Every structure is written in C-alpha cells, then in structure tokens.
Amino acid sequence: MTAVETDQHGPGLGNFLRRDLVGGVLLLIAMLSALVIANSPLADGYFGLRDTHIGIDFPGLDHTVGEWASEGLLAIFFFLVGLELKTEFVDGELRNIRKAMLPIVAAFGGVIVPALIYVAVNTIDNGDPSTIDGWAIPTATDIAFAVSVLAVVGSSLPVAMRTFLLTLAVVDDLIAIVIIAFVYTDDLSTLYLLLALIPLGLYTFLAQKFPDFFMQHHWAAWVILLPIGVVTWLFVLEAGIHATIAGVLLGFAVPVKKVTPRVIRQEEPELGLAPALEHRFRPLSNGLAIPVFAFFAAGVAVGGLDGVVTSLSDPVAIGIVLGLVFGKLIGIFGAAWLMDRFTPASKDDDYTWLDLGGLAMVAGIGFTVSLLVAELSFGLGSPHDEHAKVGILTGSAIAAVFGGSLLAVRNAHYRKLRARGVEVDKLDAAS
C-alpha cells in the first residue's frame, strides 16, 4: 500500500472525504435531499434557487446556480478523472494493454449495447423524434456510486474485482468525455478555442517543468495552477465546448513521471505530480463538487405516483431504464465473455463469471454523468429532461439493488472460504 493510500485512512476531514464510500454516501444524501425538497412545499424555493443567476456581466461569468454546478463545480470532478486516466495510462492498469484489454473492451460493450437499446425503444415509439438525442444517457457508469456499492457489500471479494470495475469505469469515463466533446458541442468559436490554448500551454509548461516545486509547496497549486486553470475553463466554455472538457485537458497536462523518492507531508512524490494533485483535490470533489451538482441536477417534481407513472411511460425513461439495467449487463458481460473465448485476453482467475455478472449490474449505476448528458440532450428543466432524470434514478436504483445483492451473496461465499483458510485471490474460477 502506498503512502497516499495509507494516509487516506488516517484522521482528519480531508482523509475522511477521500474515501470512496464517503463520496458515494454524500452523493446519495444530496440526491435524496433534492428529490424530497423538489416534491415538498419547499419546491418553489428549490427551483427558484437553481434558476437564480449569479455572476457578473462578462462572457462566461453569468450563470444560474444550476449551470454553475454542472459547468463549474463538475469541472473539478472531471479534472480528477483526467488525473486518474493519465495515471492509469502511464503507471497503472491501462499501461499493460494486454492485461487491460478485457475491461477496456467490456467498457465499450457497456456503452454500445445500452445506446442501441435506447435507440431501439425510441425508434419504435417515434412520436417525438427529438427523444433520439438522449441515446448517450444510459451509456455512463458512475464511478463514485459503483465503487461505493462494492465497498459496502464486498469486503471479502477478490481484489481483482475492484481492479476490473475501476478500469472499466475509467474507460467508460473516457468514452463519455469523447461523446460530450464531439456530440454535445455546438456553435464552436475558433477564437476562444485558440485563446484557451494560451493558458493551457502555460499550465502544461509549469506542471511539466516544475513538478517537484508544486509537490513540495502545497500552496503553489492553489495560487499558481488553479487561476490558470480557471482561465482555461472560461475560454473553453466560451468556445462552445462543455466546460468539463477543460477539466479533463488540465488533468491530462499534469505529469505522472517518477521523481526522487522522498515522503513529503504523507504523500508519495515518486508517483509523480498527478497522484499528488488527485490526493489534494479529492476532498473538494467528494465533499463539494459532486454533492452540489447532484443536489441541483437530481431535483425533479415527479407529481406523486401518477407523475412517476407518467415519467416512466415516456420512451426516454423506458430506454434509459432498460439500457442501464439490461444494456450494461449484456454489453459488459457479453463483451468480456467474447474476449475471453475468442482472443488471447482472459478473465482473471481470482473471480468467477457470476462475480463478473454482479460487477456488470453495478456498472448500470449511471448517475453523475448520465444526469449531465440528460441536461445536454434536452435542456435543464425540460419535460424530457425531467423524465430522463426519473429514468436515471430508477434504472440506477434497480442496478444498485440487484447488482449489490448478488455481490453481497458472493461476498458471503468468499468470507466462508477465507474462514476455512482458502486464499481467495488464488481461487480457481470454478470455485
């Protein structure tokens, strides 16, 4: 275990907020709070706050509270996604392409099949052709929620299962980033795009040239890199590209090179600047960015049981639920099985195909990015957006319950094996 990982279990609010389980719980609390408030006498105040404009009369700096959450705070989350992706490609599971090929292809299967199911549902019931625009909504896997479910029910599961889920979720995020960049970018401004290259280039130069300085001086990243990153974000937003892409680009600009090993403030510099920044910014993402986004994104006035029925009768919601619950399972499991059967890539022997089925179900939890894509597809507060949110919440809940239940059963199985002295991580797949 690295120094960074060890430090995550120490005392302090920052370490508390770094835990996967804590991030998932805060996300869940924010989501449930939004749903309760949006369907209570406080609903007018909630929607009024969400739609209140905050900012100054300057390009890119005048948005509603809801827009600041999805285009501003969520950029922090995607910055961490960029850091994680860069680290995985340079010094993680994605570095060994043969080892990572199974979860990588499984991730693509988990994107393609849900999209096809959604398109099929909305093609058959083609009363409103615009519903096709939401095809990408059920393709996303929420890392925070999925890993949190695994943390709650899977204390005795093989370590290789978590590695598979993390690799799959990371690749899934990369695909989502590409979709957002190329599908949901309108009215591209070449001028602002060129302007964005200036602060992005400066940011990259400083991060690559002086990584030791930013690792040794915690204040430097906040005082120097953060303002440059904000300017990059502003220009990217004004260029017509969703601002979360700026977060990813900034994350990819940070080096993951090794430096002289020496422990500084309980971090592990030999892992490079990217893991160090991920360690520092994770509490901000888990404790503020994601919960606030979830609070303003998940609030939908369902209108009681009749409203839920109406929402779930919309082909948009039907396609999302079927995509998340069945599409993810079929796509991930099917792609993994085909890779294991017909290519040199193979499933890790530490877990069984039944275990992988549970992971595929859990991957159907598509909360954070799915909500974002729904807003980009239909517009915040539109009828289809509201119905899409109901579909996302319903499909994600079903995936969490069924996937979590299966993994809980498997966890009990592995706990018994451990009690008998069997080395779980060396089990034969047939066990």
Side-chain angles (χ1 to χ4, degrees):
M1 180 175 290
T2 68
V4 171
E5 292 169 333
T6 302
D7 186 44
Q8 288 179 9
H9 298 281
L13 179 60
N15 292 320
F16 176 74
L17 292 174
R18 286 186 185 96
R19 299 175 182 174
D20 293 330
L21 179 58
V22 173
V25 169
L26 291 177
L27 181 59
L28 180 62
I29 292 173
M31 177 195 72
L32 294 177
S33 299
L35 284 172
V36 171
I37 294 174
N39 293 275
S40 74
L42 300 175
D44 289 341
Y46 169 82
F47 291 112
L49 175 61
R50 187 193 68 181
D51 298 332
T52 298
H53 277 262
I54 294 180
I56 60 177
D57 188 15
F58 187 82
L61 294 180
D62 183 21
H63 300 282
T64 66
V65 173
E67 290 170 346
W68 276 115
S70 64
E71 296 178 349
L73 288 177
L74 202 58
I76 299 172
F77 168 74
F78 275 89
F79 170 68
L80 293 177
V81 169
L83 291 174
E84 289 178 304
L85 284 171
K86 180 76 175 287
T87 303
E88 288 298 319
F89 278 119
V90 175
D91 195 43
E93 290 296 324
L94 298 181
R95 180 182 59 177
N96 186 338
I97 192 64
R98 293 191 62 182
K99 183 177 180 181
M101 187 56 68
L102 192 80
I104 288 175
V105 175
F108 275 93
V111 168
I112 294 171
V113 176
L116 291 176
I117 290 177
Y118 180 93
V119 170
V121 169
N122 284 270
T123 299
I124 293 172
D125 190 347
N126 199 22
D128 182 359
S130 68
T131 62
I132 294 294
D133 294 343
W135 64 269
I137 297 173
T139 64
T141 293
D142 190 292
I143 293 181
F145 258 148
V147 173
S148 295
V149 169
L150 197 62
V152 170
V153 303
S155 59
S156 296
L157 294 175
V159 175
M161 292 178 64
R162 188 179 190 276
T163 301
F164 178 93
L165 182 61
L166 283 175
T167 304
L168 181 140
V170 164
V171 176
D172 185 284
D173 270 351
L174 180 59
I175 299 171
I177 290 164
V178 173
I179 291 174
I180 292 172
F182 287 95
V183 178
Y184 297 104
T185 295
D186 299 318
D187 302 323
L188 186 65
S189 171
T190 305
L191 174 60
Y192 278 106
L193 191 59
L194 292 175
L195 287 174
L197 296 178
I198 299 174
L200 178 60
L202 176 60
Y203 178 97
T204 303
F205 171 78
L206 292 174
Q208 295 284 340
K209 191 70 174 177
F210 308 104
D212 288 351
F213 174 77
F214 291 108
M215 295 175 70
Q216 295 177 39
H217 303 89
H218 283 212
W219 59 266
W222 299 94
V223 175
I224 300 175
L225 293 182
L226 181 59
I228 299 174
V230 170
V231 175
T232 304
W233 166 85
L234 179 62
F235 285 149
V236 169
L237 178 62
E238 286 303 294
I241 302 174
H242 197 272
T244 53
I245 301 302
V248 177
L249 294 175
L250 292 168
F252 267 99
V254 179
V256 191
K257 68 177 183 179
K258 302 292 197 312
V259 297
T260 304
R262 60 181 184 280
V263 176
I264 299 175
R265 298 188 185 182
Q266 296 184 308
E267 294 180 357
E268 192 176 42
E270 62 265 31
L271 290 179
L273 182 57
L277 290 184
E278 191 276 335
H279 179 76
R280 297 174 194 174
F281 280 82
R282 176 64 62 183
L284 183 61
S285 177
N286 284 355
L288 177 66
I290 296 179
V292 172
F293 166 76
F295 180 75
F296 288 108
V300 51
V302 297
L305 181 60
D306 291 340
V308 173
V309 172
T310 299
S311 296
L312 292 178
S313 64
D314 187 338
V316 168
I318 296 173
I320 292 171
V321 173
L322 293 179
L324 290 175
V325 176
F326 296 106
K328 281 291 186 180
L329 172 60
I330 296 170
I332 293 172
F333 189 91
W337 185 85
L338 290 173
M339 287 292 292
D340 183 83
R341 178 70 174 80
F342 297 107
T343 75
S346 61
K347 177 187 68 61
D348 196 305
D349 289 338
D350 288 352
Y351 57 86
T352 70
W353 285 107
L354 184 59
D355 298 329
L356 194 144
L359 293 176
M361 290 183 191
V362 169
I365 304 173
F367 188 74
T368 306
V369 180
S370 289
L371 290 173
L372 174 61
V373 174
E375 291 183 10
L376 296 175
S377 300
F378 302 119
L380 181 64
S382 66
H384 284 316
D385 179 45
E386 300 292 309
H387 296 167
K389 288 178 179 178
V390 174
I392 292 167
L393 298 175
T394 303
S396 297
I398 294 173
V401 170
F402 282 90
S405 297
L406 176 56
L407 291 179
V409 171
R410 296 301 296 164
N411 189 68
H413 167 72
Y414 285 116
R415 187 184 300 114
K416 291 178 181 178
L417 291 177
R418 289 179 186 273
R420 296 206 302 265
V422 178
E423 179 56 53
V424 169
D425 291 340
K426 298 298 181 182
L427 288 177
D428 184 88
S431 65

